[in-house]
Amino acid sequence: QSALTQPASVSGSPGQSITISCTGTSSDVGGYNYVSWYQQHPGTAPKIMIYDVSSRPSGVSDRFSGSKSGNTASLTISGLQAEDEADYYCSSYTKSNTGVFGTGTKVTVL
Amino acid sequence: EVQLVESGGGLVQPGGSLRLSCVVSGFTFSSYAMTWVRQAPGKGLEWVSGISNSGSTFYADSVKGRFTISRDNSKNTLYLQMNSLRVEDTAVYYCARGRKGAVVAVTLDYWGQGTLVTVSS
């Protein structure tokens, strides 16, 4: 159950688009369409932003989108805003009937 | 309004035990899979344990044999019994709800605010 691999940090200017990758294996990301993305601001609980690879919960901005190719999932934030500055984690179902999170990515809005 | 409220955290010595509780409201608890996720200070999220709505249990390798997840549907409460605690178990522990219909809660749509467990001598 090794953590999924994410870049430690990604940055962008307001209005720009950024993409965060999440790399696993065929036993997790590549094997199932149960990839989720969470946003976490300092001192608060995580909030789900994307589920089932590309679905958005109600109330989440359509500036957030998800995709997957092979063993790598991606989260794209378009029209970057100051409030998007946070930590982002991917997660996936695994063949062991457990969940696994990514290493986390700090998004900085320049 | 969906609410999840954790309690039971605190300071415990290595080798000790602690039981966390998560009281939920605002939804039919018995219909949902639930999970515990932890976050060590300054670190990332770690999936710890899950329980289906019917009581099937699942554990991360790091806690298997030491932690036990359970639920009391009559009390709308989720538990995590933690035994043989180690320094590396120090973390904020969150309870979270799985999406409806899921057996294993890995898509987590509601989270509590967390309870801090510190394992130290």
Side-chain angles (χ1 to χ4, degrees), chain B residues 65-107:
Chain B
R66 300 188 300 122
F67 290 11
T68 302
I69 190 172
S70 61
R71 63 192 299 159
D72 186 335
N73 291 338
S74 69
K75 295 183 178 179
N76 284 354
T77 303
L78 176 72
Y79 301 101
L80 186 67
Q81 176 67 43
M82 303 185 296
N83 299 330
S84 303
L85 282 162
R86 305 167 180 167
V87 171
E88 55 264 36
D89 294 319
T90 295
V92 172
Y93 284 73
Y94 296 99
C95 69
R97 189 185 84 168
R99 280 186 62 220
K100 189 160 189 175
V103 173
V104 183
V106 295
T107 300

Side-chain angles (χ1 to χ4, degrees), chain A residues 22 29 82:
Chain A
C22 169
V29 174

Side-chain angles (χ1 to χ4, degrees), chain A residues 7-68:
Chain A
S9 63
V10 173
S11 62
S13 299
Q16 286 187 330
S17 293
I18 61 170
T19 297
I20 303 168
S21 61
C22 169
T23 301
T25 69
S26 58
S27 296
D28 39 64
V29 174
Y32 309 92
N33 287 324
Y34 296 127
V35 175
S36 303
W37 288 90
Y38 301 87
Q39 177 192 65
Q40 187 181 33
H41 288 108
T44 69
K47 172 189 175 184
I48 191 166
M49 305 301 284
I50 295 289
Y51 67 96
D52 294 353
V53 177
S54 60
S55 296
R56 246 186 339 268
S58 60
V60 172
S61 171
D62 60 4
R63 297 185 298 104
F64 292 84
S65 61
S67 63
K68 189 184 85 167

